[in-house]
Amino acid sequence: MASCVICNSEEADKTYRFAVVDRRTSSETKEYVVARKTTTTIYERFAGVCRESFCDKCLKKQKMKNLRTAVPVSFGLTLLILVVIGLNAGGLSKGYFIASLIISALVSVIALVICLTAKDTSLAKELLFDKRGRRLTYVHVDPSIYMSGNKTTLAKFKEKSGLRTEVAEKIYEKFIESGKGNELVDEIISNSAQ
């Protein structure tokens, strides 16, 4: 059994494989006489692969961290937006405020359900992203994550991975479309260890 990449516990029973992508964005804003135009450029570069193990304790900690952030933020932002709308519309009454509280509570319940049903694969990706200084993007190479119906699609892969350039297409082609993403990562790691 491998040790957990986060806490070094020997009880790490979940191992995930990732394609590592160096992803950076830059924005340039140009001022025109009547408008402002911002152009955002995304740079993505394949940086290798990794195989990491995680313990249930660390995955649960990440889930609770997400929960402690998402629920109050979703409640507060929804309430703030509804109150501002009510103030601007001139209709901020006691009934409107109570309705805003109820809607905010419903939105926070939705956030709660989303956090509680988060899969370990996404939690593992978040843990690695935080641990390694938020510089690299970790993309799961398990094809089952990107299923749309009974097959994988490039569109689903791009949606779930967040990649946008030709790097996404190459990773999809090599690791996902072939259906052997996990095996390829293991092979690359074993070849580089020799």
Side-chain angles (χ1 to χ4, degrees):
M1 187 179 286
S3 61
C4 177
V5 68
I6 304 301
C7 70
N8 294 323
S9 165
E10 293 298 322
E11 298 175 16
D13 59 345
K14 295 185 176 155
T15 301
Y16 301 107
R17 290 147 184 91
F18 304 92
V20 183
V21 177
D22 183 8
R23 187 172 194 269
R24 299 164 196 243
T25 59
S26 67
S27 294
E28 182 182 331
T29 303
K30 290 185 180 180
E31 299 286 339
Y32 295 98
V33 176
V34 293
R36 175 187 297 175
K37 180 181 178 187
T38 301
T39 304
T40 302
T41 306
I42 299 172
Y43 302 98
E44 294 174 342
R45 182 183 62 83
F46 180 74
V49 296
C50 70
R51 175 182 57 214
E52 302 295 352
S53 298
F54 299 86
C55 66
D56 284 330
K57 184 178 174 185
C58 287
L59 293 170
K60 285 179 185 173
K61 269 188 194 176
Q62 183 65 30
K63 186 178 281 193
M64 292 310 294
K65 177 183 170 188
N66 292 351
L67 196 66
R68 285 190 305 271
T69 304
V71 172
V73 167
S74 63
F75 181 84
L77 282 176
T78 305
L79 184 61
L80 179 67
I81 290 167
L82 290 173
V83 167
V84 168
I85 290 171
L87 286 172
N88 286 339
L92 188 61
S93 64
K94 186 177 180 181
Y96 181 84
F97 186 72
I98 291 171
S100 297
L101 284 174
I102 292 169
I103 292 169
S104 298
L106 289 173
V107 169
S108 59
V109 167
I110 292 169
L112 173 77
V113 169
I114 290 170
C115 287
L116 289 176
T117 58
K119 295 184 179 181
D120 287 346
T121 53
S122 64
L123 297 171
K125 187 167 87 168
E126 291 173 30
L127 281 167
L128 272 180
F129 184 70
D130 288 343
K131 180 173 175 76
R132 305 236 166 106
R134 300 178 168 268
R135 288 174 299 198
L136 300 172
T137 300
Y138 297 89
V139 180
H140 287 281
V141 294
D142 183 358
S144 67
I145 295 171
Y146 308 106
M147 296 296 266
S148 182
N150 60 353
K151 63 179 184 161
T152 59
T153 64
L154 180 60
K156 190 70 162 178
F157 174 72
K158 284 185 172 183
E159 174 191 326
K160 288 204 166 214
S161 69
L163 301 178
R164 299 286 174 253
T165 65
E166 71 279 348
V167 171
E169 296 164 14
K170 289 178 182 174
I171 291 173
Y172 175 78
E173 187 178 295
K174 181 168 183 140
F175 294 99
I176 308 305
E177 191 174 43
S178 69
K180 298 179 181 182
N182 291 332
E183 295 85 6
L184 284 171
V185 168
D186 290 339
E187 183 180 317
I188 291 168
I189 290 172
S190 68
N191 287 342
S192 66
Q194 295 175 358

mmCIF file of all heavy atoms in Angstrom, residues 12-49:
data_model
loop_
_atom_site.group_PDB
_atom_site.id
_atom_site.type_symbol
_atom_site.label_atom_id
_atom_site.label_comp_id
_atom_site.label_asym_id
_atom_site.label_seq_id
_atom_site.Cartn_x
_atom_site.Cartn_y
_atom_site.Cartn_z
ATOM 1 N N ALA A 12 -3.246 4.968 2.628
ATOM 2 C CA ALA A 12 -3.727 5.518 1.363
ATOM 3 C C ALA A 12 -4.170 4.382 0.455
ATOM 4 O O ALA A 12 -3.348 3.661 -0.089
ATOM 5 C CB ALA A 12 -2.634 6.346 0.704
ATOM 6 N N ASP A 13 -5.462 4.224 0.316
ATOM 7 C CA ASP A 13 -5.972 3.103 -0.472
ATOM 8 C C ASP A 13 -6.543 3.526 -1.822
ATOM 9 O O ASP A 13 -7.023 2.697 -2.574
ATOM 10 C CB ASP A 13 -7.012 2.331 0.329
ATOM 11 C CG ASP A 13 -8.192 3.190 0.747
ATOM 12 O OD1 ASP A 13 -8.086 4.426 0.668
ATOM 13 O OD2 ASP A 13 -9.217 2.621 1.151
ATOM 14 N N LYS A 14 -6.481 4.824 -2.137
ATOM 15 C CA LYS A 14 -6.998 5.296 -3.421
ATOM 16 C C LYS A 14 -5.858 5.917 -4.213
ATOM 17 O O LYS A 14 -5.215 6.854 -3.759
ATOM 18 C CB LYS A 14 -8.113 6.298 -3.200
ATOM 19 C CG LYS A 14 -9.303 5.648 -2.539
ATOM 20 C CD LYS A 14 -10.464 6.548 -2.406
ATOM 21 C CE LYS A 14 -11.602 5.734 -1.810
ATOM 22 N NZ LYS A 14 -12.551 6.503 -1.125
ATOM 23 N N THR A 15 -5.617 5.387 -5.393
ATOM 24 C CA THR A 15 -4.549 5.883 -6.254
ATOM 25 C C THR A 15 -5.156 6.407 -7.547
ATOM 26 O O THR A 15 -5.981 5.741 -8.163
ATOM 27 C CB THR A 15 -3.529 4.768 -6.549
ATOM 28 O OG1 THR A 15 -2.996 4.304 -5.308
ATOM 29 C CG2 THR A 15 -2.407 5.264 -7.429
ATOM 30 N N TYR A 16 -4.737 7.604 -7.914
ATOM 31 C CA TYR A 16 -5.232 8.234 -9.137
ATOM 32 C C TYR A 16 -4.057 8.628 -10.007
ATOM 33 O O TYR A 16 -2.975 8.948 -9.524
ATOM 34 C CB TYR A 16 -6.074 9.471 -8.798
ATOM 35 C CG TYR A 16 -7.260 9.149 -7.932
ATOM 36 C CD1 TYR A 16 -7.291 9.515 -6.591
ATOM 37 C CD2 TYR A 16 -8.347 8.462 -8.445
ATOM 38 C CE1 TYR A 16 -8.373 9.202 -5.789
ATOM 39 C CE2 TYR A 16 -9.435 8.142 -7.654
ATOM 40 C CZ TYR A 16 -9.447 8.525 -6.324
ATOM 41 O OH TYR A 16 -10.520 8.209 -5.534
ATOM 42 N N ARG A 17 -4.299 8.629 -11.304
ATOM 43 C CA ARG A 17 -3.274 8.973 -12.275
ATOM 44 C C ARG A 17 -3.694 10.233 -13.022
ATOM 45 O O ARG A 17 -4.867 10.379 -13.370
ATOM 46 C CB ARG A 17 -3.064 7.810 -13.235
ATOM 47 C CG ARG A 17 -2.405 6.624 -12.554
ATOM 48 C CD ARG A 17 -2.897 5.313 -13.145
ATOM 49 N NE ARG A 17 -2.348 4.179 -12.426
ATOM 50 C CZ ARG A 17 -2.952 3.608 -11.381
ATOM 51 N NH1 ARG A 17 -4.098 4.071 -10.931
ATOM 52 N NH2 ARG A 17 -2.400 2.560 -10.779
ATOM 53 N N PHE A 18 -2.710 11.088 -13.260
ATOM 54 C CA PHE A 18 -2.989 12.388 -13.855
ATOM 55 C C PHE A 18 -2.022 12.705 -14.975
ATOM 56 O O PHE A 18 -0.856 12.316 -14.934
ATOM 57 C CB PHE A 18 -2.826 13.506 -12.805
ATOM 58 C CG PHE A 18 -3.658 13.345 -11.579
ATOM 59 C CD1 PHE A 18 -3.161 12.687 -10.467
ATOM 60 C CD2 PHE A 18 -4.946 13.859 -11.524
ATOM 61 C CE1 PHE A 18 -3.921 12.549 -9.320
ATOM 62 C CE2 PHE A 18 -5.705 13.717 -10.382
ATOM 63 C CZ PHE A 18 -5.193 13.059 -9.278
ATOM 64 N N ALA A 19 -2.527 13.456 -15.956
ATOM 65 C CA ALA A 19 -1.662 14.158 -16.903
ATOM 66 C C ALA A 19 -1.488 15.546 -16.294
ATOM 67 O O ALA A 19 -2.451 16.157 -15.846
ATOM 68 C CB ALA A 19 -2.327 14.258 -18.263
ATOM 69 N N VAL A 20 -0.266 16.013 -16.247
ATOM 70 C CA VAL A 20 0.021 17.303 -15.618
ATOM 71 C C VAL A 20 0.184 18.348 -16.716
ATOM 72 O O VAL A 20 0.930 18.150 -17.676
ATOM 73 C CB VAL A 20 1.300 17.217 -14.759
ATOM 74 C CG1 VAL A 20 1.552 18.538 -14.043
ATOM 75 C CG2 VAL A 20 1.202 16.074 -13.758
ATOM 76 N N VAL A 21 -0.536 19.460 -16.553
ATOM 77 C CA VAL A 21 -0.524 20.522 -17.562
ATOM 78 C C VAL A 21 -0.149 21.838 -16.900
ATOM 79 O O VAL A 21 -0.710 22.211 -15.874
ATOM 80 C CB VAL A 21 -1.906 20.650 -18.241
ATOM 81 C CG1 VAL A 21 -1.922 21.791 -19.243
ATOM 82 C CG2 VAL A 21 -2.296 19.345 -18.920
ATOM 83 N N ASP A 22 0.819 22.504 -17.483
ATOM 84 C CA ASP A 22 1.189 23.849 -17.053
ATOM 85 C C ASP A 22 0.243 24.789 -17.793
ATOM 86 O O ASP A 22 0.310 24.906 -19.020
ATOM 87 C CB ASP A 22 2.649 24.123 -17.413
ATOM 88 C CG ASP A 22 3.121 25.480 -16.931
ATOM 89 O OD1 ASP A 22 2.391 26.156 -16.186
ATOM 90 O OD2 ASP A 22 4.249 25.862 -17.304
ATOM 91 N N ARG A 23 -0.642 25.417 -17.047
ATOM 92 C CA ARG A 23 -1.687 26.245 -17.658
ATOM 93 C C ARG A 23 -1.570 27.663 -17.135
ATOM 94 O O ARG A 23 -1.606 27.902 -15.939
ATOM 95 C CB ARG A 23 -3.057 25.676 -17.302
ATOM 96 C CG ARG A 23 -4.202 26.334 -17.989
ATOM 97 C CD ARG A 23 -5.491 25.558 -17.714
ATOM 98 N NE ARG A 23 -6.531 25.957 -18.599
ATOM 99 C CZ ARG A 23 -7.405 26.928 -18.337
ATOM 100 N NH1 ARG A 23 -7.343 27.576 -17.209
ATOM 101 N NH2 ARG A 23 -8.331 27.238 -19.203
ATOM 102 N N ARG A 24 -1.415 28.591 -18.043
ATOM 103 C CA ARG A 24 -1.293 29.999 -17.659
ATOM 104 C C ARG A 24 -2.185 30.839 -18.559
ATOM 105 O O ARG A 24 -2.431 30.488 -19.705
ATOM 106 C CB ARG A 24 0.151 30.472 -17.799
ATOM 107 C CG ARG A 24 1.101 29.694 -16.918
ATOM 108 C CD ARG A 24 2.526 29.896 -17.339
ATOM 109 N NE ARG A 24 3.349 28.860 -16.738
ATOM 110 C CZ ARG A 24 4.315 29.105 -15.885
ATOM 111 N NH1 ARG A 24 4.578 30.325 -15.531
ATOM 112 N NH2 ARG A 24 5.022 28.120 -15.393
ATOM 113 N N THR A 25 -2.624 31.946 -18.014
ATOM 114 C CA THR A 25 -3.428 32.875 -18.806
ATOM 115 C C THR A 25 -2.812 34.269 -18.694
ATOM 116 O O THR A 25 -2.198 34.614 -17.689
ATOM 117 C CB THR A 25 -4.887 32.930 -18.323
ATOM 118 O OG1 THR A 25 -4.918 33.333 -16.956
ATOM 119 C CG2 THR A 25 -5.577 31.598 -18.476
ATOM 120 N N SER A 26 -2.987 35.027 -19.731
ATOM 121 C CA SER A 26 -2.575 36.428 -19.693
ATOM 122 C C SER A 26 -3.664 37.249 -20.376
ATOM 123 O O SER A 26 -4.309 36.797 -21.321
ATOM 124 C CB SER A 26 -1.226 36.626 -20.379
ATOM 125 O OG SER A 26 -1.337 36.370 -21.754
ATOM 126 N N SER A 27 -3.858 38.436 -19.860
ATOM 127 C CA SER A 27 -4.882 39.318 -20.420
ATOM 128 C C SER A 27 -4.250 40.631 -20.840
ATOM 129 O O SER A 27 -3.355 41.144 -20.178
ATOM 130 C CB SER A 27 -5.974 39.596 -19.389
ATOM 131 O OG SER A 27 -6.676 38.425 -19.101
ATOM 132 N N GLU A 28 -4.745 41.145 -21.940
ATOM 133 C CA GLU A 28 -4.289 42.432 -22.433
ATOM 134 C C GLU A 28 -5.522 43.284 -22.711
ATOM 135 O O GLU A 28 -6.446 42.854 -23.406
ATOM 136 C CB GLU A 28 -3.478 42.232 -23.719
ATOM 137 C CG GLU A 28 -2.920 43.504 -24.295
ATOM 138 C CD GLU A 28 -2.168 43.258 -25.592
ATOM 139 O OE1 GLU A 28 -1.618 42.167 -25.775
ATOM 140 O OE2 GLU A 28 -2.162 44.177 -26.425
ATOM 141 N N THR A 29 -5.528 44.468 -22.156
ATOM 142 C CA THR A 29 -6.661 45.369 -22.338
ATOM 143 C C THR A 29 -6.243 46.546 -23.198
ATOM 144 O O THR A 29 -5.220 47.178 -22.934
ATOM 145 C CB THR A 29 -7.180 45.871 -20.970
ATOM 146 O OG1 THR A 29 -7.534 44.744 -20.177
ATOM 147 C CG2 THR A 29 -8.387 46.752 -21.137
ATOM 148 N N LYS A 30 -7.034 46.817 -24.210
ATOM 149 C CA LYS A 30 -6.787 47.970 -25.074
ATOM 150 C C LYS A 30 -7.938 48.952 -24.901
ATOM 151 O O LYS A 30 -9.100 48.563 -24.907
ATOM 152 C CB LYS A 30 -6.669 47.539 -26.532
ATOM 153 C CG LYS A 30 -5.430 46.749 -26.850
ATOM 154 C CD LYS A 30 -5.323 46.464 -28.327
ATOM 155 C CE LYS A 30 -4.056 45.672 -28.613
ATOM 156 N NZ LYS A 30 -3.915 45.385 -30.027
ATOM 157 N N GLU A 31 -7.574 50.191 -24.750
ATOM 158 C CA GLU A 31 -8.569 51.260 -24.612
ATOM 159 C C GLU A 31 -8.840 51.872 -25.986
ATOM 160 O O GLU A 31 -7.915 52.248 -26.703
ATOM 161 C CB GLU A 31 -8.052 52.345 -23.666
ATOM 162 C CG GLU A 31 -7.770 51.883 -22.264
ATOM 163 C CD GLU A 31 -9.016 51.648 -21.450
ATOM 164 O OE1 GLU A 31 -10.081 52.202 -21.793
ATOM 165 O OE2 GLU A 31 -8.937 50.896 -20.463
ATOM 166 N N TYR A 32 -10.097 51.940 -26.336
ATOM 167 C CA TYR A 32 -10.508 52.604 -27.552
ATOM 168 C C TYR A 32 -11.328 53.828 -27.162
ATOM 169 O O TYR A 32 -11.674 53.998 -25.997
ATOM 170 C CB TYR A 32 -11.337 51.659 -28.435
ATOM 171 C CG TYR A 32 -10.540 50.471 -28.944
ATOM 172 C CD1 TYR A 32 -10.616 49.235 -28.314
ATOM 173 C CD2 TYR A 32 -9.706 50.604 -30.041
ATOM 174 C CE1 TYR A 32 -9.877 48.150 -28.771
ATOM 175 C CE2 TYR A 32 -8.959 49.519 -30.501
ATOM 176 C CZ TYR A 32 -9.054 48.300 -29.864
ATOM 177 O OH TYR A 32 -8.315 47.244 -30.318
ATOM 178 N N VAL A 33 -11.653 54.641 -28.117
ATOM 179 C CA VAL A 33 -12.387 55.873 -27.830
ATOM 180 C C VAL A 33 -13.735 55.572 -27.170
ATOM 181 O O VAL A 33 -14.115 56.205 -26.195
ATOM 182 C CB VAL A 33 -12.587 56.705 -29.117
ATOM 183 C CG1 VAL A 33 -13.435 57.924 -28.853
ATOM 184 C CG2 VAL A 33 -11.244 57.089 -29.712
ATOM 185 N N VAL A 34 -14.440 54.575 -27.663
ATOM 186 C CA VAL A 34 -15.783 54.302 -27.158
ATOM 187 C C VAL A 34 -15.895 53.016 -26.346
ATOM 188 O O VAL A 34 -16.950 52.723 -25.802
ATOM 189 C CB VAL A 34 -16.807 54.245 -28.315
ATOM 190 C CG1 VAL A 34 -16.962 55.601 -28.959
ATOM 191 C CG2 VAL A 34 -16.409 53.207 -29.334
ATOM 192 N N ALA A 35 -14.833 52.261 -26.266
ATOM 193 C CA ALA A 35 -14.944 50.978 -25.560
ATOM 194 C C ALA A 35 -13.576 50.496 -25.093
ATOM 195 O O ALA A 35 -12.540 51.066 -25.441
ATOM 196 C CB ALA A 35 -15.571 49.933 -26.479
ATOM 197 N N ARG A 36 -13.623 49.461 -24.322
ATOM 198 C CA ARG A 36 -12.419 48.788 -23.841
ATOM 199 C C ARG A 36 -12.510 47.336 -24.287
ATOM 200 O O ARG A 36 -13.546 46.691 -24.133
ATOM 201 C CB ARG A 36 -12.391 48.867 -22.317
ATOM 202 C CG ARG A 36 -11.260 48.106 -21.704
ATOM 203 C CD ARG A 36 -11.344 48.068 -20.209
ATOM 204 N NE ARG A 36 -11.246 49.409 -19.664
ATOM 205 C CZ ARG A 36 -11.381 49.697 -18.401
ATOM 206 N NH1 ARG A 36 -11.650 48.753 -17.535
ATOM 207 N NH2 ARG A 36 -11.267 50.930 -17.976
ATOM 208 N N LYS A 37 -11.404 46.808 -24.815
ATOM 209 C CA LYS A 37 -11.395 45.425 -25.279
ATOM 210 C C LYS A 37 -10.306 44.669 -24.529
ATOM 211 O O LYS A 37 -9.149 45.083 -24.519
ATOM 212 C CB LYS A 37 -11.143 45.353 -26.785
ATOM 213 C CG LYS A 37 -11.128 43.939 -27.316
ATOM 214 C CD LYS A 37 -10.845 43.905 -28.791
ATOM 215 C CE LYS A 37 -10.792 42.472 -29.271
ATOM 216 N NZ LYS A 37 -10.366 42.376 -30.651
ATOM 217 N N THR A 38 -10.702 43.553 -23.912
ATOM 218 C CA THR A 38 -9.752 42.714 -23.201
ATOM 219 C C THR A 38 -9.607 41.404 -23.951
ATOM 220 O O THR A 38 -10.590 40.743 -24.257
ATOM 221 C CB THR A 38 -10.226 42.442 -21.762
ATOM 222 O OG1 THR A 38 -10.382 43.693 -21.088
ATOM 223 C CG2 THR A 38 -9.238 41.582 -21.012
ATOM 224 N N THR A 39 -8.361 41.042 -24.235
ATOM 225 C CA THR A 39 -8.066 39.784 -24.899
ATOM 226 C C THR A 39 -7.341 38.889 -23.908
ATOM 227 O O THR A 39 -6.317 39.281 -23.347
ATOM 228 C CB THR A 39 -7.175 40.011 -26.132
ATOM 229 O OG1 THR A 39 -7.828 40.941 -27.000
ATOM 230 C CG2 THR A 39 -6.907 38.718 -26.866
ATOM 231 N N THR A 40 -7.883 37.698 -23.688
ATOM 232 C CA THR A 40 -7.271 36.738 -22.780
ATOM 233 C C THR A 40 -6.672 35.607 -23.592
ATOM 234 O O THR A 40 -7.338 35.026 -24.443
ATOM 235 C CB THR A 40 -8.312 36.183 -21.787
ATOM 236 O OG1 THR A 40 -8.881 37.272 -21.067
ATOM 237 C CG2 THR A 40 -7.678 35.211 -20.817
ATOM 238 N N THR A 41 -5.413 35.315 -23.330
ATOM 239 C CA THR A 41 -4.714 34.250 -24.024
ATOM 240 C C THR A 41 -4.429 33.129 -23.033
ATOM 241 O O THR A 41 -3.945 33.386 -21.926
ATOM 242 C CB THR A 41 -3.387 34.758 -24.620
ATOM 243 O OG1 THR A 41 -3.671 35.903 -25.423
ATOM 244 C CG2 THR A 41 -2.718 33.697 -25.462
ATOM 245 N N ILE A 42 -4.736 31.903 -23.426
ATOM 246 C CA ILE A 42 -4.502 30.739 -22.577
ATOM 247 C C ILE A 42 -3.323 29.953 -23.145
ATOM 248 O O ILE A 42 -3.307 29.616 -24.321
ATOM 249 C CB ILE A 42 -5.755 29.841 -22.526
ATOM 250 C CG1 ILE A 42 -6.935 30.606 -21.937
ATOM 251 C CG2 ILE A 42 -5.472 28.569 -21.729
ATOM 252 C CD1 ILE A 42 -8.255 29.881 -22.028
ATOM 253 N N TYR A 43 -2.344 29.703 -22.284
ATOM 254 C CA TYR A 43 -1.191 28.885 -22.651
ATOM 255 C C TYR A 43 -1.285 27.569 -21.890
ATOM 256 O O TYR A 43 -1.420 27.572 -20.674
ATOM 257 C CB TYR A 43 0.123 29.584 -22.277
ATOM 258 C CG TYR A 43 0.306 30.933 -22.909
ATOM 259 C CD1 TYR A 43 0.000 32.089 -22.214
ATOM 260 C CD2 TYR A 43 0.778 31.046 -24.211
ATOM 261 C CE1 TYR A 43 0.160 33.336 -22.799
ATOM 262 C CE2 TYR A 43 0.943 32.286 -24.799
ATOM 263 C CZ TYR A 43 0.633 33.430 -24.082
ATOM 264 O OH TYR A 43 0.792 34.657 -24.663
ATOM 265 N N GLU A 44 -1.223 26.479 -22.599
ATOM 266 C CA GLU A 44 -1.223 25.161 -21.972
ATOM 267 C C GLU A 44 -0.064 24.355 -22.540
ATOM 268 O O GLU A 44 0.160 24.361 -23.746
ATOM 269 C CB GLU A 44 -2.545 24.434 -22.225
ATOM 270 C CG GLU A 44 -3.729 25.088 -21.554
ATOM 271 C CD GLU A 44 -5.061 24.465 -21.916
ATOM 272 O OE1 GLU A 44 -5.144 23.753 -22.933
ATOM 273 O OE2 GLU A 44 -6.021 24.713 -21.186
ATOM 274 N N ARG A 45 0.652 23.690 -21.625
ATOM 275 C CA ARG A 45 1.794 22.867 -22.035
ATOM 276 C C ARG A 45 1.754 21.574 -21.235
ATOM 277 O O ARG A 45 1.606 21.583 -20.022
ATOM 278 C CB ARG A 45 3.088 23.618 -21.749
ATOM 279 C CG ARG A 45 4.345 22.886 -22.171
ATOM 280 C CD ARG A 45 5.597 23.656 -21.798
ATOM 281 N NE ARG A 45 5.747 23.861 -20.373
ATOM 282 C CZ ARG A 45 6.269 22.980 -19.518
ATOM 283 N NH1 ARG A 45 6.668 21.810 -19.948
ATOM 284 N NH2 ARG A 45 6.376 23.266 -18.242
ATOM 285 N N PHE A 46 1.870 20.460 -21.916
ATOM 286 C CA PHE A 46 1.918 19.158 -21.251
ATOM 287 C C PHE A 46 3.215 19.092 -20.453
ATOM 288 O O PHE A 46 4.300 19.290 -20.987
ATOM 289 C CB PHE A 46 1.860 18.031 -22.291
ATOM 290 C CG PHE A 46 1.908 16.664 -21.698
ATOM 291 C CD1 PHE A 46 0.802 16.144 -21.041
ATOM 292 C CD2 PHE A 46 3.055 15.895 -21.782
ATOM 293 C CE1 PHE A 46 0.846 14.873 -20.492
ATOM 294 C CE2 PHE A 46 3.108 14.629 -21.239
ATOM 295 C CZ PHE A 46 1.998 14.119 -20.583
ATOM 296 N N ALA A 47 3.104 18.807 -19.149
ATOM 297 C CA ALA A 47 4.283 18.819 -18.276
ATOM 298 C C ALA A 47 4.640 17.435 -17.746
ATOM 299 O O ALA A 47 5.562 17.303 -16.954
ATOM 300 C CB ALA A 47 4.043 19.777 -17.108
ATOM 301 N N GLY A 48 3.905 16.414 -18.133
ATOM 302 C CA GLY A 48 4.227 15.058 -17.694
ATOM 303 C C GLY A 48 3.019 14.353 -17.104
ATOM 304 O O GLY A 48 1.881 14.746 -17.326
ATOM 305 N N VAL A 49 3.310 13.303 -16.355
ATOM 306 C CA VAL A 49 2.259 12.513 -15.711
ATOM 307 C C VAL A 49 2.653 12.269 -14.260
ATOM 308 O O VAL A 49 3.815 12.401 -13.894
ATOM 309 C CB VAL A 49 2.039 11.156 -16.424
ATOM 310 C CG1 VAL A 49 1.542 11.358 -17.840
ATOM 311 C CG2 VAL A 49 3.292 10.319 -16.399
#
